[in-house]
């Protein structure tokens, strides 16, 4: 079984495979260059191969960086979801407390009104 079968799934497996292929192609380029010398056709092909390998490596690095960014964004999203849930719970608790205080405020206001009416009635009865 090859080393790629043990590398796991996902993008890291592709990155490792691309780097292995690039290294193999670089060795082939060196070997072919030694056999063929500086013939123009071979030199041009080797130059194109070098550019293609560089382009491949840059693309692999860029994709890996995007993958890391995506993981960071997913972590941020998860953290924000937990925070949103916590804030929702806090808001519901505060809303329940506010409703309870409003009910208590109405009861106190009703009782004060009743007490004031009782004081007025007593004052009127005693000539006040």
């Amino acid at each position: 079984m090859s080393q790629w079968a043990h590398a796991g799934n996902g993008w890291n497996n592709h990155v490792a495979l691309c780097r292995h292929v690039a290294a193999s192609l670089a060795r082939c380029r060196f070997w072919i260059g030694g056999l063929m010398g500086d013939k123009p056709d071979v030199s041009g092909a080797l130059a194109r191969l070098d550019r293609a390998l560089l382009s491949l490596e840059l693309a692999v690095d860029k994709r890996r960086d995007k993958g890391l960014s995506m993981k960071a964004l997913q972590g941020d999203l998860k953290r924000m979801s937990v925070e949103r849930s916590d804030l929702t719970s806090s808001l519901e608790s505060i809303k329940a407390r506010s409703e309870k205080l409003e009910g208590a405020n109405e009861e106190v206001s009703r009782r004060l009104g009743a007490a004031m009416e009782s004081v007025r009635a007593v004052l009127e009865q005693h000539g006040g």
Side-chain angles (χ1 to χ4, degrees):
M1 192 176 280
S2 75
Q3 69 190 46
W4 313 116
H6 299 292
N9 295 325
W11 186 249
N12 287 333
N13 191 22
H14 296 294
V15 170
L17 180 59
C18 288
R19 289 209 167 124
H20 177 71
V21 169
S24 296
L25 289 173
R27 285 191 299 275
C28 289
R29 181 190 59 76
F30 178 76
W31 183 73
I32 291 170
L35 288 177
M36 301 300 287
D38 287 334
K39 293 185 179 179
D41 291 340
V42 173
S43 296
L46 293 176
R48 287 192 304 276
L49 178 60
D50 284 338
R51 287 192 301 272
L53 290 174
L54 178 62
S55 177
L56 176 63
E57 189 157 349
L58 290 174
V60 165
D61 288 343
K62 186 175 181 181
R63 177 62 175 105
R64 186 190 67 234
D65 291 345
K66 282 185 180 180
L68 294 175
S69 295
M70 182 61 75
K71 284 183 181 180
L73 289 173
Q74 288 171 339
D76 287 346
L77 180 60
K78 188 174 183 177
R79 181 185 48 77
M80 283 189 236
S81 293
V82 169
E83 188 174 319
R84 181 180 181 267
S85 178
D86 291 345
L87 289 172
T88 300
S89 295
S90 294
L91 179 62
E92 289 173 0
S93 174
I94 290 170
K95 187 176 177 182
R97 184 170 185 257
S98 173
E99 289 172 357
K100 186 176 177 181
L101 289 173
E102 283 180 23
N105 186 29
E106 289 173 4
E107 178 64 20
V108 167
S109 179
R110 186 188 63 74
R111 287 183 183 185
L112 282 173
M116 289 173 25
E117 289 299 320
S118 294
V119 168
R120 280 191 195 121
V122 168
L123 287 175
E124 285 178 11
Q125 285 178 354
H126 295 280

